[in-house]
Amino acid sequence: MRSTATGDIFGGVIHPTAIIHPQAKLDASVRVGPFVVIDEGVEVGPDCEIGPGAYLTGLTTIGRGNRVFAGCVIGEAPQDLKYNGTPTRLRIGDGNVFREHVTVHRSTIPDGETWIGSNNFLMANAHVGHNCKLGDHIIIANGAFAGRHVEVADRAFISGNCLVHQFVRVARCP
C-alpha cells in the first residue's frame, strides 16, 4: 500500500488536484481523478479507479478492481439521529462499479459494518444506507435506494427509482 498526495508511482496515477490524507492507504496501482478527496481511514485495493469529484471517507476498505465514477460519496456517516460520531465501518469487495453520484453510508456502531460484496453494479444516483448487507452480482438501477439495515441476496435486481424500505430482505433472483 502507498500513502501519498500526488504523483505517479508504480503505474498508479494520482491527479495533482486530488486531496489524499497522508494516513490513507492506496495500492500503488490505484488511479485517482481530479478533485477527489480521500480521508484518513480509507484503504483502496489494487487496480481501482476513483473518478473526478469522488469523496471516500470513514473507516472504508475497498477491494480490488472497483470503479468509482464522478461525484460518488462512499463511506460517509450514517443518516441516523442516534449516530454519535464514533468511527464506523464500510467494507467493499472486488470488481464493483459505482456509477455517477452513488452514495454508500457506513454503519451506525463501531462493532457493526455496512458491506457490499463483489461484482455489483450500482447505477447513477443509487443509495445504500447504513448497516446494509449486499451480496454479489447485484444490480441496483438508477435512483434506487436501499434503506438502512437492508439485506440483498446474490444476483438480485432492484429496478430504477425503487425504494427498498428499512429492515427488508431482497431474495436472490432465479
Side-chain angles (χ1 to χ4, degrees), residues 65-144:
N66 289 284
R67 294 188 64 201
V68 177
F69 281 75
C72 289
V73 177
I74 307 292
E76 187 55 274
Q79 297 179 81
D80 187 330
L81 294 175
K82 295 182 296 299
Y83 175 67
N84 65 8
T86 58
T88 56
R89 300 187 180 285
L90 165 63
R91 183 170 40 104
I92 297 172
D94 302 329
N96 295 291
V97 175
F98 300 89
R99 290 304 306 245
E100 299 81 4
H101 304 283
V102 166
T103 55
V104 181
H105 291 168
R106 61 188 192 265
S107 74
T108 54
I109 55 175
D111 60 346
E113 68 181 0
T114 300
W115 61 267
I116 295 178
S118 296
N119 302 305
N120 297 303
F121 185 42
L122 284 73
M123 296 182 193
N125 299 306
H127 172 72
V128 178
H130 62 80
N131 300 85
C132 285
K133 297 182 183 335
L134 274 62
D136 300 329
H137 301 282
I138 294 166
I139 297 172
I140 299 179
N142 298 58

